[in-house]
Structures are given as C-alpha cells and as structure tokens.
Amino acid sequence: MIGIGQRVDARFEILERSGSGSMGTVFRALDLARGREVAFKTLRVESAIDAPEERFAHEIRVLGELTHSGVVQYVAHGRTHEGEPYLAMEWIAGTTLGERLRAVVPPTFGETTALGAGLAAALAACHERGVVHRDLKPGNVMLRGGDLELPVLVDFGLARLSSDASLTISGTRLGTPRFMAPEQIRNARGVDGRADVFSLGCILFECATHRPAFRSDDAMDVMVKILLERAPRVRDVCPTVPPALARWIDRALEPDRDARPEAAELARALAELDLLDAGPQSAPFEPSMRTPFSNAPSLQSEPVDNDTTLEAIEHTVPQPSGSFVGRDAVLARLDGLLDHARTTIGIWGPPGIGKTRLAIEAVAQLRRREPSVSAVFCELREARTRNDLTRVVARALRLEPGADAA
C-alpha cells in the first residue's frame, strides 16, 4: 500500500490521496524529473472489477495515443514496489463537471455552448485516432480552474481503440446508464464516435435545462427509456434555451446514430454560435432545488462605508491559462466594436457567463494588432461599496485622491 511521502521509481513523490474508486486510488504526486505535479493512479490487483489489469493496460495505451489539450495527458506508467500497476497523468487543478453542476449557480447558455464546443473538439481528436470514450459523463470531465470553457476528458478505462481487439468484460455493463446511447446499450463493443456524441448531448441537455434528458431513479428504467423513447426536445422542457443551441443538442440526442452530427461538426457549429442577443442567459432557477445565494453585500445595497484597506492593484492585464474556445463569434463582434468605437463599450449579463475572460481576450487581440494600445485591469471582487469601487479604479489609473479624473 502506497503511503504519503513515499517515492516510486525514484521519480514520483506521493503528496496526498485525492480519491478512490472500485479499481484503485488516485494520489496527487510530484514528478521529480520534471518538477510538476501529476495525478498518480494505482490499481488494486484484487479489485472486484473483471479483468482490472487488462483495463488498466488498455487505458495506458489509449492515453499514449492521444495528444490534445482537452484530453488528460499521459506522463508515465510502471509498477510500485508492492507490484501494483500505476499510471501517471497530468494533474488538473479544478473540479469535475459533476461537482460544478451541483453548485449554487448553474451554467449559463453561453457556458453550456463553450463547454460543448470544447468537449466536442476533444472527442473529435479522439475519434480521429480511432478512440471512442464510451463513458462520457460529468464525473469524467475535469474543468481546469473550475472553468466551464476549459473541459478535459479523463478516465479512458472503458475506451475502445479501433486498432485493438475490443476489450471484452463478461457480465459487466460498459458505460453509465443515464448517458449511454441506444446502440451502446444494445452492444457496447460495436459503437463508434457517435455514441460519445449522444452522451455529450445528454450532458448539454442537463446543463441547459437543469434536468436529465432521461429521468428515473432506476438504472434499468433509464436504459429502457433510452431504447424505446426519444429524449424530450430541449425547448419543450425549457423554452428559454436559444433555438440554435437547442437544435444542436436535439440533433446530438437523435436515437438513430446516422442522424447525429460527427463530433467535429458539432464542435465547429457550437464554436460559431452567437448568443449575445439570444434573450435570457440561463434557464430559470428552481428555488426548491437550489441553495440561496450568499448574503454578501452588493454595490446596490450600499452598506455603511468603512476604512477597509484594499490591496494594491496590479496594472497589467492578466494572462488566463488554457485556450479560449466557444466564443469566436462574440469575440469577433466585440473586436469590431473596439476597432471603430469612440465611446465606452459595455458587456453585461449574469455572473458566470465569462464577461471578464471575453474582455481580456478582446483587449489582447486588439493589442496584438495595435501594440501601442494601453489597458488597465481592475480587480473588483473585494469592492463592496461605491467608495470602494472609486478607490479601486482611481488606484488602477494611478489617480491620487482629489485629482482631476477628466
């Protein structure tokens, strides 16, 4: 059994236990050779799962075939001193999509679109290499930094590699019922990438409407529904979902796999969607299902001011990590406005739709074209009153109290 502080192969130092499942345990570890953290996954040889070592070796081979920012990256594999197989992968700091969907604030339509574009692009890269994930669900999607625009596919233990003979596990269901395509329920070994597209459709349906595409507390009942019924049309469940987004989710959930788009087509379509003028930004809240918002004061409530000292403001625009996906059309429109505008441009919407990231990307794009353009970033999260807001902006602009701000 691996212990905290133990070194494996003189390369990996175990830092802490991160999680465990039916097949083994995942640790956060330090890769001493590269000076970075990794996810260190071990396999329990006595696992109750059928053919655990075959599955583990299969996952290692699959990850070795893939190189895409939306797929967890392989680092190394081997055996511990105790003989347990291990797999080292990149460490992704963030949360799972499953955890994010249980948060107080649900995804907006813009975030759902960006998430779908990112996941579809990652799936397209997998399918191009002959890899079908076969277990796409919120728990197998990591969000870098908790950002819905930066999803990463993980857990390829059930993936199908076309160059391999299919891994056969008798008596074991391959997949998670609520996200399985009809053809996967019938024959998990004969599926292609369109089964993953169906699973992605189930995920996006839930993100957009706040309810599962197939509802039941019983796994067998869910599978029967998937086999015999079509998923509800998105706008029949939630009429506020933008029609363009709803159409692509509906297409992904077609029972006939020939009617579904390929992952690459879906990725392109979602990346090009422009939801800026599409109406409401998210589905209505269901108060009975959600935790109340924080009671932290807002600028509108204007509590009594105090002499709290705010930290000094950094005068540079942040450099976000990861690629910027799913907002191409909106960014192009904003870039056009910046190119011709002679006045202030406002970006508005509810929390969580990516307004700050969009503004940063637009400014970066403008500065690449016109290096002389200057920009100041103001961090407003700690501001609680109008006076706070004034002080933050004044400090960012290097204005002393009483200076002429005109």
Side-chain angles (χ1 to χ4, degrees), residues 2 23-25 27 40-44 56 80 84-86:
I2 288 182
M23 288 180 62
T25 306
F27 298 88
F40 191 88
K41 182 177 181 179
T42 62
L43 173 71
R44 287 199 304 272
F56 205 69
T80 67
E84 294 179 334
Y86 74 79

Side-chain angles (χ1 to χ4, degrees), residues 113-327:
T113 303
L115 172 75
L119 286 176
L123 288 174
C126 293
H127 299 165
E128 185 178 353
R129 298 301 300 269
V131 175
V132 184
H133 191 282
R134 294 199 298 185
D135 196 21
L136 180 59
K137 59 184 179 181
N140 284 342
V141 175
M142 287 294 299
L143 304 175
R144 294 187 191 275
D147 191 341
L148 283 157
E149 297 187 12
L150 299 174
V152 182
L153 295 175
V154 299
D155 199 343
F156 282 75
L158 295 185
R160 180 175 181 271
L161 190 60
S162 60
S163 59
D164 257 346
S166 295
L167 182 63
T168 303
I169 305 173
S170 61
T172 302
R173 182 180 65 247
L174 294 183
T176 302
R178 207 168 87 207
F179 302 95
M180 290 171 67
E183 67 271 21
Q184 187 172 352
I185 295 174
R186 297 187 187 98
N187 178 14
R189 290 173 297 187
V191 300
D192 59 22
R194 290 169 292 185
D196 287 341
V197 171
F198 186 93
S199 300
L200 178 54
C202 292
I203 289 174
L204 297 181
F205 186 102
E206 195 161 331
C207 288
T209 69
H210 307 169
R211 55 151 282 181
F214 301 93
R215 304 180 73 172
S216 178
D217 294 329
D218 180 75
M220 187 60 68
D221 187 37
V222 167
M223 289 190 287
V224 170
K225 286 178 180 289
I226 293 173
L227 285 172
L228 301 181
E229 303 175 10
R230 196 207 182 283
R233 300 287 178 180
V234 171
R235 284 172 60 85
D236 289 345
V237 174
C238 181
T240 58
V241 177
L245 174 60
R247 280 194 299 272
W248 283 104
I249 297 176
D250 288 338
R251 284 192 59 191
L253 287 170
E254 286 290 346
D256 179 3
R257 66 181 181 180
D258 291 333
R260 296 176 211 146
E262 299 283 346
E265 179 188 2
L266 183 59
R268 288 192 298 270
L270 293 177
E272 292 171 359
L273 285 188
D274 182 356
L275 304 183
L276 190 61
D277 299 317
Q281 295 297 307
S282 63
F285 282 100
E286 295 183 28
S288 61
M289 302 295 290
R290 295 284 176 183
T291 305
F293 284 108
S294 166
N295 290 323
S298 66
L299 293 176
Q300 290 80 6
S301 63
E302 192 60 30
V304 177
D305 194 17
N306 54 48
D307 294 326
T308 302
T309 301
L310 298 175
E311 295 297 322
I313 300 300
E314 181 64 40
H315 290 263
T316 58
V317 177
Q319 299 296 316
S321 61
S323 58
F324 184 67
V325 298
R327 308 289 291 281

Side-chain angles (χ1 to χ4, degrees), residues 7-68:
R7 291 191 178 184
V8 179
D9 284 348
R11 175 176 177 179
F12 300 105
E13 181 177 342
I14 306 302
L15 301 178
E16 66 176 358
R17 178 171 173 162
S18 176
S20 62
S22 56
M23 288 180 62
T25 306
V26 177
F27 298 88
R28 182 171 63 90
L30 177 63
D31 181 354
L32 299 171
R34 300 188 181 185
R36 65 181 184 183
E37 293 185 346
V38 296
F40 191 88
K41 182 177 181 179
T42 62
L43 173 71
R44 287 199 304 272
V45 178
E46 73 280 5
S47 169
I49 299 295
D50 288 346
E53 289 210 52
E54 288 85 348
R55 278 202 200 186
F56 205 69
H58 187 75
E59 181 175 11
I60 290 169
R61 180 176 178 188
V62 167
L63 288 182
E65 295 265 337
L66 299 170
T67 53
H68 188 274

